[in-house]
Amino acid sequence: MGQLDRYCDPGKAVIITDRTIKNLLGKFFCKYRVVEIGTGEKAKTLKTVHSVYEKFLDYELDRTSFVLAVGGGIVCDVAGYVASTYLRGLPFGFIPTTLLAQTDAAIGGKNGVNFKGYKNLIGTFNQPRFVLCDLELLKTLSARELKNGFAEIIKHALIGDAFMLSYLEKEWRRAYELEGTFMEQLLFDSLKVKACIVSQDETEKGERRKLNFGHTFGHALEKIYGLKHGEAISIGMVLAARISVAKGLIDRNDMLRIEKILAHFGLPVEVGIEKDLIMDAIRKDKKREGENINFVLLNGIGNAVVLPISIEELEEMVRDMC
Ligand code: NAD
Protein backbone atom coordinates (compact mmCIF):
# COMPACT_ATOMS: atom_id res chain seq x y z
CA MET A 1 0.00 0.00 0.00
CA GLY A 2 2.96 2.29 0.64
CA GLN A 3 3.53 2.43 -3.13
CA LEU A 4 0.05 3.66 -4.03
CA ASP A 5 1.32 6.86 -5.71
CA ARG A 6 3.17 4.72 -8.26
CA TYR A 7 -0.16 3.49 -9.61
CA CYS A 8 -2.34 6.57 -9.37
CA ASP A 9 -1.86 10.29 -9.20
CA PRO A 10 -3.22 11.70 -5.90
CA GLY A 11 -4.26 14.85 -7.79
CA LYS A 12 -6.49 12.84 -10.16
CA ALA A 13 -7.65 9.84 -8.15
CA VAL A 14 -10.61 9.46 -5.80
CA ILE A 15 -10.58 6.48 -3.44
CA ILE A 16 -13.82 4.64 -2.72
CA THR A 17 -13.66 2.56 0.43
CA ASP A 18 -15.61 1.56 3.53
CA ARG A 19 -15.18 2.39 7.22
CA THR A 20 -13.30 -0.80 8.13
CA ILE A 21 -10.70 -0.20 5.45
CA LYS A 22 -10.48 3.51 6.21
CA ASN A 23 -9.67 2.62 9.82
CA LEU A 24 -7.10 0.02 8.79
CA LEU A 25 -5.43 1.76 5.84
CA GLY A 26 -6.46 5.42 6.13
CA LYS A 27 -2.86 6.50 6.72
CA PHE A 28 -2.09 5.67 3.10
CA PHE A 29 -5.01 7.76 1.82
CA CYS A 30 -4.06 11.18 3.22
CA LYS A 31 -3.05 12.68 -0.16
CA TYR A 32 -6.27 11.46 -1.81
CA ARG A 33 -9.90 12.49 -1.88
CA VAL A 34 -11.88 9.69 -0.24
CA VAL A 35 -15.51 8.62 -0.50
CA GLU A 36 -16.68 6.23 2.21
CA ILE A 37 -19.62 3.90 1.64
CA GLY A 38 -21.49 1.62 4.06
CA THR A 39 -20.77 -2.06 4.62
CA GLY A 40 -22.78 -5.18 3.77
CA GLU A 41 -25.20 -6.01 0.96
CA LYS A 42 -27.57 -3.31 2.21
CA ALA A 43 -25.00 -0.73 1.05
CA LYS A 44 -24.75 -2.20 -2.46
CA THR A 45 -27.66 -0.15 -3.81
CA LEU A 46 -28.51 2.64 -6.21
CA LYS A 47 -28.92 4.88 -3.14
CA THR A 48 -25.23 4.45 -2.37
CA VAL A 49 -24.40 4.98 -6.05
CA HIS A 50 -26.38 8.22 -5.93
CA SER A 51 -24.49 9.45 -2.88
CA VAL A 52 -21.14 8.71 -4.55
CA TYR A 53 -22.23 10.61 -7.71
CA GLU A 54 -22.98 13.59 -5.44
CA LYS A 55 -19.49 13.44 -3.96
CA PHE A 56 -18.02 13.26 -7.47
CA LEU A 57 -19.98 16.41 -8.36
CA ASP A 58 -18.64 18.19 -5.26
CA TYR A 59 -15.13 17.11 -6.20
CA GLU A 60 -15.70 18.37 -9.77
CA LEU A 61 -14.35 15.18 -11.34
CA ASP A 62 -13.73 15.28 -15.08
CA ARG A 63 -12.75 12.72 -17.70
CA THR A 64 -9.12 12.87 -16.60
CA SER A 65 -10.08 11.70 -13.10
CA PHE A 66 -9.46 8.18 -11.84
CA VAL A 67 -11.51 6.04 -9.45
CA LEU A 68 -9.70 3.64 -7.13
CA ALA A 69 -11.62 1.07 -5.10
CA VAL A 70 -9.87 -0.16 -1.94
CA GLY A 71 -12.00 -2.75 -0.19
CA GLY A 72 -13.88 -6.02 -0.44
CA GLY A 73 -16.25 -7.15 -3.17
CA ILE A 74 -18.93 -4.67 -2.15
CA VAL A 75 -16.62 -1.67 -2.50
CA CYS A 76 -15.24 -2.99 -5.82
CA ASP A 77 -18.72 -3.69 -7.24
CA VAL A 78 -20.09 -0.26 -6.29
CA ALA A 79 -16.95 1.63 -7.36
CA GLY A 80 -16.78 -0.21 -10.69
CA TYR A 81 -20.40 0.63 -11.41
CA VAL A 82 -20.09 4.28 -10.40
CA ALA A 83 -16.90 4.70 -12.43
CA SER A 84 -18.45 2.97 -15.45
CA THR A 85 -21.45 5.28 -15.50
CA TYR A 86 -20.29 8.70 -14.24
CA LEU A 87 -19.48 10.98 -17.19
CA ARG A 88 -20.18 7.95 -19.41
CA GLY A 89 -17.26 6.14 -17.85
CA LEU A 90 -14.12 7.05 -15.92
CA PRO A 91 -11.04 4.84 -15.75
CA PHE A 92 -10.83 2.81 -12.56
CA GLY A 93 -8.64 0.36 -10.67
CA PHE A 94 -9.10 -2.09 -7.80
CA ILE A 95 -7.12 -2.89 -4.69
CA PRO A 96 -9.19 -5.80 -3.35
CA THR A 97 -8.74 -6.35 0.38
CA THR A 98 -10.64 -9.61 1.01
CA LEU A 99 -9.59 -13.01 -0.29
CA LEU A 100 -12.94 -13.31 -2.05
CA ALA A 101 -12.42 -10.00 -3.83
CA GLN A 102 -8.81 -10.86 -4.77
CA THR A 103 -9.73 -14.23 -6.21
CA ASP A 104 -13.13 -13.41 -7.64
CA ALA A 105 -15.03 -10.11 -7.27
CA ALA A 106 -12.27 -7.82 -8.60
CA ILE A 107 -11.61 -10.06 -11.61
CA GLY A 108 -13.73 -10.35 -14.73
CA GLY A 109 -15.23 -6.91 -15.30
CA LYS A 110 -18.68 -7.38 -13.75
CA ASN A 111 -19.70 -4.35 -11.72
CA GLY A 112 -23.07 -3.72 -10.19
CA VAL A 113 -25.51 -3.25 -7.36
CA ASN A 114 -28.56 -4.98 -5.91
CA PHE A 115 -32.08 -3.85 -6.72
CA LYS A 116 -35.35 -4.65 -4.91
CA GLY A 117 -33.75 -7.56 -3.10
CA TYR A 118 -32.28 -9.09 -6.28
CA LYS A 119 -28.51 -9.43 -6.16
CA ASN A 120 -26.45 -7.68 -8.84
CA LEU A 121 -29.51 -6.91 -10.96
CA ILE A 122 -28.17 -3.54 -12.18
CA GLY A 123 -24.68 -3.44 -13.60
CA THR A 124 -22.12 -3.19 -16.36
CA PHE A 125 -19.40 -5.25 -17.96
CA ASN A 126 -16.33 -3.04 -17.86
CA GLN A 127 -12.73 -3.88 -17.05
CA PRO A 128 -10.57 -2.01 -14.52
CA ARG A 129 -7.21 -0.62 -15.65
CA PHE A 130 -5.49 -2.70 -12.97
CA VAL A 131 -6.14 -5.04 -10.05
CA LEU A 132 -3.45 -5.00 -7.36
CA CYS A 133 -3.53 -7.92 -4.94
CA ASP A 134 -1.49 -7.37 -1.79
CA LEU A 135 -1.48 -10.55 0.31
CA GLU A 136 -0.44 -8.61 3.41
CA LEU A 137 -3.91 -7.05 3.45
CA LEU A 138 -5.48 -10.45 4.16
CA LYS A 139 -3.89 -10.70 7.61
CA THR A 140 -6.61 -8.63 9.29
CA LEU A 141 -9.47 -10.68 7.82
CA SER A 142 -11.63 -12.82 10.10
CA ALA A 143 -11.49 -16.60 9.71
CA ARG A 144 -15.03 -16.56 8.31
CA GLU A 145 -14.12 -14.01 5.60
CA LEU A 146 -11.04 -16.06 4.68
CA LYS A 147 -13.14 -19.22 4.33
CA ASN A 148 -15.40 -17.33 1.96
CA GLY A 149 -12.46 -16.71 -0.36
CA PHE A 150 -11.10 -20.24 -0.08
CA ALA A 151 -14.48 -21.59 -1.26
CA GLU A 152 -14.05 -19.67 -4.55
CA ILE A 153 -10.42 -20.77 -4.88
CA ILE A 154 -11.46 -24.42 -4.47
CA LYS A 155 -14.23 -23.81 -7.03
CA HIS A 156 -11.65 -22.54 -9.54
CA ALA A 157 -9.53 -25.68 -9.01
CA LEU A 158 -12.57 -27.94 -9.48
CA ILE A 159 -13.76 -26.29 -12.68
CA GLY A 160 -10.45 -25.61 -14.34
CA ASP A 161 -7.25 -26.93 -12.78
CA ALA A 162 -6.93 -30.50 -11.47
CA PHE A 163 -3.25 -29.97 -10.58
CA MET A 164 -4.20 -27.05 -8.34
CA LEU A 165 -6.57 -29.32 -6.43
CA SER A 166 -3.85 -31.97 -5.93
CA TYR A 167 -1.32 -29.55 -4.49
CA LEU A 168 -3.97 -27.91 -2.35
CA GLU A 169 -4.93 -31.35 -0.97
CA LYS A 170 -1.30 -31.95 0.03
CA GLU A 171 -0.49 -28.50 1.36
CA TRP A 172 -3.76 -26.93 2.42
CA ARG A 173 -2.28 -25.98 5.81
CA ARG A 174 0.12 -23.55 4.09
CA ALA A 175 -2.87 -21.81 2.54
CA TYR A 176 -4.80 -21.86 5.79
CA GLU A 177 -1.85 -20.13 7.46
CA LEU A 178 -1.61 -17.60 4.58
CA GLU A 179 2.02 -18.54 3.89
CA GLY A 180 3.32 -15.94 1.43
CA THR A 181 4.94 -17.94 -1.38
CA PHE A 182 2.27 -20.62 -1.30
CA MET A 183 -0.58 -18.10 -1.33
CA GLU A 184 1.02 -16.21 -4.22
CA GLN A 185 1.06 -19.36 -6.35
CA LEU A 186 -2.44 -20.37 -5.26
CA LEU A 187 -3.93 -16.95 -5.98
CA PHE A 188 -2.12 -16.78 -9.32
CA ASP A 189 -3.46 -20.20 -10.39
CA SER A 190 -6.94 -19.32 -9.19
CA LEU A 191 -6.95 -16.03 -11.11
CA LYS A 192 -5.66 -17.83 -14.20
CA VAL A 193 -8.72 -20.11 -14.20
CA LYS A 194 -11.14 -17.20 -13.87
CA ALA A 195 -9.29 -14.94 -16.34
CA CYS A 196 -9.07 -17.75 -18.91
CA ILE A 197 -12.83 -18.44 -18.74
CA VAL A 198 -13.76 -14.73 -18.78
CA SER A 199 -11.50 -13.99 -21.73
CA GLN A 200 -13.43 -16.54 -23.79
CA ASP A 201 -16.84 -15.13 -22.87
CA GLU A 202 -16.72 -11.72 -21.24
CA THR A 203 -20.48 -11.11 -21.31
CA GLU A 204 -21.64 -14.54 -20.08
CA LYS A 205 -23.21 -16.11 -23.14
CA GLY A 206 -21.82 -19.60 -22.48
CA GLU A 207 -18.34 -20.45 -21.16
CA ARG A 208 -18.53 -17.97 -18.29
CA ARG A 209 -21.47 -19.87 -16.82
CA LYS A 210 -18.92 -22.45 -15.61
CA LEU A 211 -17.99 -19.95 -12.90
CA ASN A 212 -21.44 -20.58 -11.43
CA PHE A 213 -20.45 -24.09 -10.29
CA GLY A 214 -22.16 -24.62 -6.92
CA HIS A 215 -24.08 -21.36 -7.29
CA THR A 216 -27.55 -22.64 -8.33
CA PHE A 217 -28.05 -24.34 -4.97
CA GLY A 218 -25.63 -21.92 -3.31
CA HIS A 219 -27.70 -18.81 -4.03
CA ALA A 220 -30.85 -20.58 -2.83
CA LEU A 221 -29.13 -21.72 0.40
CA GLU A 222 -27.64 -18.27 0.98
CA LYS A 223 -31.07 -16.69 0.76
CA ILE A 224 -32.98 -19.26 2.79
CA TYR A 225 -30.51 -19.98 5.59
CA GLY A 226 -28.64 -16.65 5.71
CA LEU A 227 -25.30 -18.42 5.14
CA LYS A 228 -22.20 -16.54 4.00
CA HIS A 229 -21.67 -16.82 0.26
CA GLY A 230 -18.67 -19.16 0.59
CA GLU A 231 -20.47 -21.44 3.01
CA ALA A 232 -23.50 -21.62 0.74
CA ILE A 233 -21.52 -22.40 -2.40
CA SER A 234 -19.52 -25.00 -0.51
CA ILE A 235 -22.73 -26.98 0.09
CA GLY A 236 -23.85 -26.07 -3.44
CA MET A 237 -20.63 -27.57 -4.88
CA VAL A 238 -21.16 -30.79 -2.92
CA LEU A 239 -24.72 -31.05 -4.25
CA ALA A 240 -23.57 -30.33 -7.81
CA ALA A 241 -20.85 -32.96 -7.38
CA ARG A 242 -23.49 -35.49 -6.23
CA ILE A 243 -25.51 -34.77 -9.36
CA SER A 244 -22.33 -35.21 -11.43
CA VAL A 245 -21.90 -38.65 -9.80
CA ALA A 246 -25.56 -39.52 -10.49
CA LYS A 247 -24.99 -38.63 -14.15
CA GLY A 248 -21.84 -40.78 -14.32
CA LEU A 249 -19.53 -37.81 -14.97
CA ILE A 250 -17.33 -38.23 -11.88
CA ASP A 251 -16.96 -41.14 -9.47
CA ARG A 252 -17.65 -41.34 -5.74
CA ASN A 253 -13.97 -41.02 -4.95
CA ASP A 254 -13.87 -37.61 -6.69
CA MET A 255 -16.86 -36.55 -4.66
CA LEU A 256 -15.17 -37.56 -1.42
CA ARG A 257 -12.08 -35.56 -2.42
CA ILE A 258 -14.27 -32.50 -2.93
CA GLU A 259 -15.97 -32.88 0.45
CA LYS A 260 -12.61 -33.42 2.16
CA ILE A 261 -10.88 -30.34 0.75
CA LEU A 262 -13.86 -28.13 1.62
CA ALA A 263 -13.91 -29.56 5.15
CA HIS A 264 -10.16 -28.84 5.56
CA PHE A 265 -10.98 -25.15 5.18
CA GLY A 266 -13.81 -25.40 7.71
CA LEU A 267 -16.45 -25.07 5.00
CA PRO A 268 -19.77 -26.87 5.48
CA VAL A 269 -20.57 -29.84 3.25
CA GLU A 270 -23.97 -30.79 4.63
CA VAL A 271 -27.12 -28.95 5.47
CA GLY A 272 -30.54 -30.23 6.44
CA ILE A 273 -32.12 -29.08 3.20
CA GLU A 274 -35.79 -28.28 3.04
CA LYS A 275 -36.59 -29.48 -0.46
CA ASP A 276 -39.63 -27.27 -1.09
CA LEU A 277 -37.86 -24.07 -0.05
CA ILE A 278 -34.82 -24.90 -2.20
CA MET A 279 -36.89 -25.77 -5.27
CA ASP A 280 -38.98 -22.64 -4.84
CA ALA A 281 -35.82 -20.47 -4.79
CA ILE A 282 -34.43 -22.32 -7.83
CA ARG A 283 -37.65 -21.75 -9.79
CA LYS A 284 -37.21 -18.01 -9.16
CA ASP A 285 -33.51 -18.09 -10.18
CA LYS A 286 -32.85 -15.34 -12.73
CA LYS A 287 -30.58 -17.74 -14.67
CA ARG A 288 -33.47 -20.15 -15.29
CA GLU A 289 -34.39 -20.53 -18.96
CA GLY A 290 -38.00 -21.71 -19.30
CA GLU A 291 -38.35 -25.22 -17.84
CA ASN A 292 -34.58 -25.74 -17.75
CA ILE A 293 -31.72 -24.62 -15.54
CA ASN A 294 -28.28 -24.39 -17.13
CA PHE A 295 -26.59 -26.45 -14.48
CA VAL A 296 -22.82 -26.59 -14.02
CA LEU A 297 -21.51 -30.11 -13.44
CA LEU A 298 -18.06 -31.67 -13.31
CA ASN A 299 -16.97 -33.98 -16.08
CA GLY A 300 -13.90 -35.02 -14.11
CA ILE A 301 -11.97 -32.84 -11.66
CA GLY A 302 -10.78 -29.64 -13.33
CA ASN A 303 -13.33 -29.84 -16.11
CA ALA A 304 -16.72 -28.15 -15.79
CA VAL A 305 -19.57 -28.66 -18.24
CA VAL A 306 -22.84 -26.77 -18.52
CA LEU A 307 -25.88 -28.99 -19.12
CA PRO A 308 -29.53 -28.05 -19.25
CA ILE A 309 -31.45 -29.93 -16.56
CA SER A 310 -35.22 -29.69 -16.37
CA ILE A 311 -36.74 -28.37 -13.15
CA GLU A 312 -38.61 -31.68 -12.89
CA GLU A 313 -35.43 -33.78 -13.06
CA LEU A 314 -33.69 -31.47 -10.59
CA GLU A 315 -36.61 -31.78 -8.21
CA GLU A 316 -36.33 -35.56 -8.35
CA MET A 317 -32.60 -35.42 -7.66
CA VAL A 318 -33.06 -33.03 -4.75
CA ARG A 319 -35.68 -35.39 -3.33
CA ASP A 320 -33.23 -38.30 -3.57
CA MET A 321 -30.44 -36.27 -1.95
CA CYS A 322 -32.49 -34.96 0.99
P1 NAD B 1 -17.38 -7.38 1.69
O1 NAD B 1 -16.95 -6.46 0.66
O2 NAD B 1 -18.67 -7.16 2.38
O3 NAD B 1 -16.24 -7.50 2.81
C1 NAD B 1 -16.48 -8.27 3.95
C2 NAD B 1 -16.17 -7.51 5.24
O4 NAD B 1 -14.75 -7.50 5.44
C3 NAD B 1 -16.59 -6.04 5.21
O5 NAD B 1 -17.12 -5.70 6.47
C4 NAD B 1 -15.28 -5.30 4.98
O6 NAD B 1 -15.29 -4.00 5.54
C5 NAD B 1 -14.30 -6.19 5.69
N1 NAD B 1 -12.95 -6.13 5.17
C6 NAD B 1 -12.56 -5.96 3.88
N2 NAD B 1 -11.23 -6.09 3.78
C7 NAD B 1 -10.76 -6.32 5.03
C8 NAD B 1 -9.47 -6.54 5.56
N3 NAD B 1 -8.39 -6.58 4.79
N4 NAD B 1 -9.36 -6.77 6.90
C9 NAD B 1 -10.46 -6.77 7.70
N5 NAD B 1 -11.70 -6.58 7.26
C10 NAD B 1 -11.85 -6.36 5.93
O7 NAD B 1 -17.47 -8.90 1.17
P2 NAD B 1 -16.65 -9.71 0.06
O8 NAD B 1 -16.82 -11.10 0.45
O9 NAD B 1 -15.30 -9.17 -0.18
O10 NAD B 1 -17.49 -9.43 -1.28
C11 NAD B 1 -18.83 -9.85 -1.41
C12 NAD B 1 -19.45 -9.13 -2.57
O11 NAD B 1 -18.73 -9.41 -3.75
C13 NAD B 1 -20.89 -9.56 -2.82
O12 NAD B 1 -21.71 -8.44 -2.93
C14 NAD B 1 -20.82 -10.29 -4.16
O13 NAD B 1 -21.99 -10.16 -4.93
C15 NAD B 1 -19.65 -9.61 -4.81
N6 NAD B 1 -19.02 -10.42 -5.86
C16 NAD B 1 -18.88 -9.85 -7.08
C17 NAD B 1 -18.30 -10.56 -8.11
C18 NAD B 1 -18.08 -9.92 -9.45
O14 NAD B 1 -17.73 -10.62 -10.41
N7 NAD B 1 -18.28 -8.62 -9.58
C19 NAD B 1 -17.86 -11.88 -7.89
C20 NAD B 1 -18.02 -12.42 -6.63
C21 NAD B 1 -18.60 -11.69 -5.61
Side-chain angles (χ1 to χ4, degrees):
M1 284 300 295
Q3 300 174 33
L4 200 53
D5 301 1
R6 272 181 53 199
Y7 298 95
C8 38
D9 174 357
K12 293 287 180 196
V14 177
I15 291 178
I16 300 184
T17 192
D18 68 20
R19 172 151 313 190
T20 316
I21 294 303
K22 209 169 149 193
N23 288 339
L24 286 167
L25 303 174
K27 63 174 187 276
F28 299 110
F29 300 165
C30 38
K31 291 193 217 157
Y32 293 83
R33 292 165 292 183
V34 176
V35 182
E36 184 186 311
I37 64 167
T39 54
E41 290 295 330
K42 64 185 184 311
K44 215 175 109 173
T45 60
L46 287 173
K47 195 169 161 211
T48 299
V49 169
H50 196 274
S51 69
V52 183
Y53 287 154
E54 281 180 342
K55 282 278 185 193
F56 281 10
L57 256 183
D58 292 347
Y59 290 150
E60 300 179 353
L61 298 199
D62 60 32
R63 288 228 171 81
T64 67
S65 305
F66 188 84
V67 177
L68 177 68
V70 186
I74 302 243
V75 166
C76 293
D77 275 4
V78 170
Y81 181 72
V82 170
S84 301
T85 47
Y86 194 76
L87 290 177
R88 296 198 172 83
L90 296 177
F92 61 102
F94 290 151
I95 301 187
T97 60
T98 61
L99 185 57
L100 181 115
Q102 292 192 354
T103 192
D104 193 6
I107 312 298
K110 278 189 181 178
N111 317 287
V113 294
N114 306 327
F115 187 68
K116 300 234 177 238
Y118 289 94
K119 276 197 73 170
N120 307 319
L121 199 65
I122 313 287
T124 59
F125 288 105
N126 194 14
Q127 297 292 347
R129 292 284 163 93
F130 59 72
V131 179
L132 299 175
C133 295
D134 181 346
L135 293 169
E136 283 296 307
L137 298 177
L138 305 179
K139 294 192 169 152
T140 49
L141 277 180
S142 68
R144 203 167 182 207
E145 293 299 345
L146 277 173
K147 271 199 297 196
N148 232 4
F150 281 121
E152 296 290 350
I153 288 177
I154 293 167
K155 179 196 79 180
H156 287 158
L158 295 177
I159 64 172
D161 189 344
F163 177 67
M164 191 178 150
L165 183 72
S166 344
Y167 76 68
L168 199 51
E169 285 175 320
K170 280 194 207 103
E171 305 199 74
W172 60 272
R173 278 193 187 80
R174 294 175 70 190
Y176 199 72
E177 285 159 10
L178 294 182
E179 194 193 299
T181 43
F182 187 79
M183 278 303 288
E184 209 169 299
Q185 185 64 50
L186 186 64
L187 194 59
F188 182 77
D189 289 340
S190 174
L191 295 182
K192 223 164 56 183
V193 171
K194 179 152 187 189
C196 178
I197 290 176
V198 171
S199 64
Q200 293 172 63
D201 174 27
E202 205 169 337
T203 54
E204 198 162 338
K205 303 279 190 300
E207 187 73 7
R208 192 170 180 156
R209 290 182 181 146
K210 291 181 179 173
L211 293 167
N212 292 329
F213 178 61
H215 283 59
T216 302
F217 285 118
H219 281 152
L221 293 164
E222 198 174 343
K223 229 176 184 162
I224 299 166
Y225 298 104
L227 297 173
K228 291 283 291 178
H229 182 71
E231 295 165 345
I233 69 148
S234 174
I235 300 164
M237 287 191 281
V238 171
L239 295 175
R242 285 186 192 161
I243 296 179
S244 308
V245 174
K247 288 198 164 283
L249 298 171
I250 58 172
D251 60 34
R252 279 191 60 79
N253 187 43
D254 291 328
M255 204 191 77
L256 294 176
R257 283 179 70 192
I258 295 170
E259 289 184 8
K260 202 166 166 191
I261 191 72
L262 291 167
H264 278 324
F265 285 92
L267 287 157
V269 292
E270 286 286 354
V271 72
I273 291 174
E274 286 161 76
K275 181 191 140 265
D276 293 342
L277 290 179
I278 292 282
M279 284 315 298
D280 197 42
I282 285 175
R283 269 186 218 101
K284 289 184 188 139
D285 194 309
K286 66 179 183 213
K287 295 198 169 75
R288 172 181 166 177
E289 282 179 10
E291 277 314 296
N292 288 330
I293 290 270
N294 284 312
F295 207 90
V296 190
L297 299 169
L298 295 182
N299 189 8
I301 299 285
N303 185 28
V305 285
V306 184
L307 293 178
I309 300 188
S310 71
I311 300 274
E312 205 183 340
E313 186 183 358
L314 205 56
E315 201 150 14
E316 221 166 275
M317 291 192 195
V318 172
R319 199 170 41 233
D320 291 346
M321 287 188 292
C322 291

